[in-house]
Amino acid sequence: MALRLVQVNFKARDDAALGRFWAEALGWGVFSEGPCVTGVGPLGFVWPDPAAVCVCVVTVPEPETVKYRVHLDLATTSAAHQAELVARLKELGATPADVGQGDVPWTVLADPEGNLFCVLEPREIYRDTGPIATVVVDCADPRAVARFWGQATDWTLHEVTDDHARLRSATGVGPYLEFLRTTPGEKTVWNRVHLDLLPYPGDDQAAEVARLRTLGATPADVGQGDVSWIVLADPEGNEFCVLAPA
């Protein structure tokens, strides 16, 4: 049994506007639109597909007030591409962000609703990931969190140290999922960016949730009410959703 990482879920004041930003930023399209929900994925994409982790934007009333523990790193192929992408993102409404990064080769930006993300300098490891190089999760213990997520999903562990862990889909396509050691802070509100997981066809959502709980996941209440998905938190308190089978 395993789950697929299918999308990064952004909470927003205006899902349609933020969805359009990310579609333009990634060179993707809007593949689904519903009341207060916008799905963004590669052009011609049929969801779900292991070649891409999509972006799902959901409208909520709460303003952005905390540093997000999950962010995207975007891939580039050359120094010129990096500069061009940063300039284009600023034209789309992104703004420079200072998170104490100092003099680094990547550029830190915030999208129009304040979500932080990075435009990386060219790196060989990300040459075939598509526009999203990696989904980065801040954590206190990369080894432990990577062990949980490696067991929760069918993703393969590629690298692990005390400071950093890297996983990727077992199919060897799409972005990486990385856990970066950071100074732990008290978590008092739910994350406004989280991961969504999907059972494989024929697998049972409830059985997968039970399995995740044996791995250390705990139930989470983010005010979701009566919905088809189940909200859990990983061992460090990061919320994620187990969607109903497609």
Side-chain angles (χ1 to χ4, degrees):
M1 300 174 71
L3 291 159
R4 294 170 283 178
L5 172 55
V6 291
Q7 58 195 25
V8 179
N9 189 301
F10 285 76
K11 300 297 185 290
R13 298 181 187 88
D14 184 339
D15 63 281
L18 191 60
R20 287 193 299 271
F21 168 85
W22 280 105
E24 292 286 344
L26 300 171
W28 287 358
V30 173
F31 71 83
S32 67
E33 293 180 280
C36 301
V37 180
T38 300
V40 175
L43 298 174
F45 170 81
V46 178
W47 188 90
D49 185 326
V53 172
C54 295
V55 171
C56 180
V57 186
V58 180
T59 290
V60 295
E62 294 84 356
E64 187 276 324
T65 57
V66 296
K67 178 183 182 295
Y68 294 0
R69 297 174 70 183
V70 182
H71 74 267
L72 301 183
D73 282 353
L74 306 189
T76 62
T77 57
S78 66
H81 180 208
Q82 183 185 18
E84 291 166 1
L85 180 57
V86 169
R88 185 167 66 84
L89 290 166
K90 289 179 179 179
E91 291 177 356
L92 293 172
T95 53
D98 186 349
V99 293
Q101 68 267 27
D103 184 15
V104 293
W106 58 88
T107 301
V108 183
L109 298 173
D111 74 14
E113 291 218 9
N115 302 298
L116 299 176
F117 66 99
C118 297
V119 180
L120 301 180
E121 76 284 4
R123 301 185 191 182
E124 180 64 20
I125 191 172
Y126 302 134
R127 72 186 187 283
D128 63 350
T129 60
I132 299 177
T134 183
V135 181
V136 181
V137 182
D138 293 347
C139 64
D141 187 345
R143 290 184 184 274
V145 179
R147 183 165 56 250
F148 169 83
W149 283 93
Q151 293 173 320
T153 68
D154 60 355
W155 285 38
T156 300
L157 183 64
H158 284 257
E159 176 188 349
V160 61
T161 69
D162 289 342
D163 296 318
H164 179 261
R166 178 183 287 125
L167 299 91
R168 196 183 192 191
S169 168
T171 60
V173 297
Y176 287 84
L177 175 62
E178 302 188 23
F179 299 95
L180 183 65
R181 184 182 184 91
T182 58
T183 302
E186 183 180 5
K187 185 174 184 293
T188 58
V189 296
W190 46 268
N191 291 339
R192 288 175 58 89
V193 180
H194 70 259
L195 306 179
D196 285 345
L197 306 182
L198 179 70
Y200 279 93
D203 285 350
D204 182 72
Q205 182 190 37
E208 284 293 336
V209 168
R211 183 179 68 86
L212 292 169
R213 294 189 65 175
T214 67
L215 298 175
T218 53
D221 186 350
V222 295
Q224 66 268 23
D226 184 16
V227 293
S228 62
W229 56 90
I230 297 172
V231 185
L232 299 173
D234 72 12
E236 288 210 3
N238 295 303
E239 294 89 5
F240 64 95
C241 294
V242 179
L243 306 179

